[in-house]
Amino acid sequence: MSGRLIGMARRGERRAPMELITTGEITASAGLVGDFKGAKHPTRQITILANEDWQSALTDLPGEAASLPWTVRRANLLIEGLRLPRAKGAVLHLTEVALEVTGQTWPCKRMDEAYHGLRKALSPDWRGGVTCRVLAGGPIALGDPITLISSPPETVRRLP
């Protein structure tokens, strides 16, 4: 199974607006070069959002939610055509870049600051995307293929 990279964004500091880019470099020391979180959080160096999950979350919201840009989610990479794994330890390849899924990206209160109810809409079924650590870096560009290389069984979180 493979999909493709359709969006890329970074922010230079906390709470800064997302900067859309068309090419980038991913490294094991910095994550997406130019994004402040990659070097600071080794298990959250890269965040990936699937467009299909984003669109699904938006349909659960009232009003003008359909026009919200994906960058509101504050993820680094937006992909389409590949269902993101729902398990820690899965490995994704984006050209020569290898990324290990370290967990679900849990939506924070910033989502509701952007649009009321967005946090709740992104919470089920890993709709907020995945966090990753970099196993191997390299250059990336919009349109690059992304492939799921391996994945342990999916994690289903049951609340009491």
Side-chain angles (χ1 to χ4, degrees), residues 32-140:
L32 179 60
V33 174
D35 188 79
F36 89 103
K37 270 200 166 181
K40 190 175 179 181
H41 300 283
T43 61
R44 291 181 50 108
Q45 292 178 301
I46 300 289
T47 52
I48 305 174
L49 177 65
N51 190 46
E52 294 83 356
D53 292 332
W54 175 248
Q55 295 304 319
S56 181
L58 294 183
T59 63
D60 285 354
L61 296 171
E64 302 297 317
S67 64
L68 286 174
W70 72 274
T71 52
V72 167
R73 180 60 193 96
R74 305 185 67 72
N76 297 120
L77 307 178
L78 179 67
I79 65 161
E80 71 176 4
L82 176 70
R83 183 176 182 269
L84 287 171
R86 271 78 168 154
K88 292 179 182 181
V91 177
L92 298 160
H93 271 198
L94 181 61
T95 64
E96 60 195 67
V97 173
L99 302 170
E100 178 187 16
V101 174
T102 57
Q104 179 176 356
T105 306
W106 289 102
C108 66
K109 67 181 180 180
R110 297 274 324 268
M111 299 302 101
D112 281 338
E113 291 172 13
Y115 196 91
H116 180 69
L118 182 57
R119 183 179 188 177
K120 183 177 179 182
L122 287 167
S123 294
D125 197 31
W126 294 55
R127 281 182 178 171
V130 296
T131 58
C132 300
R133 75 179 180 97
V134 178
L135 300 176
I140 59 171

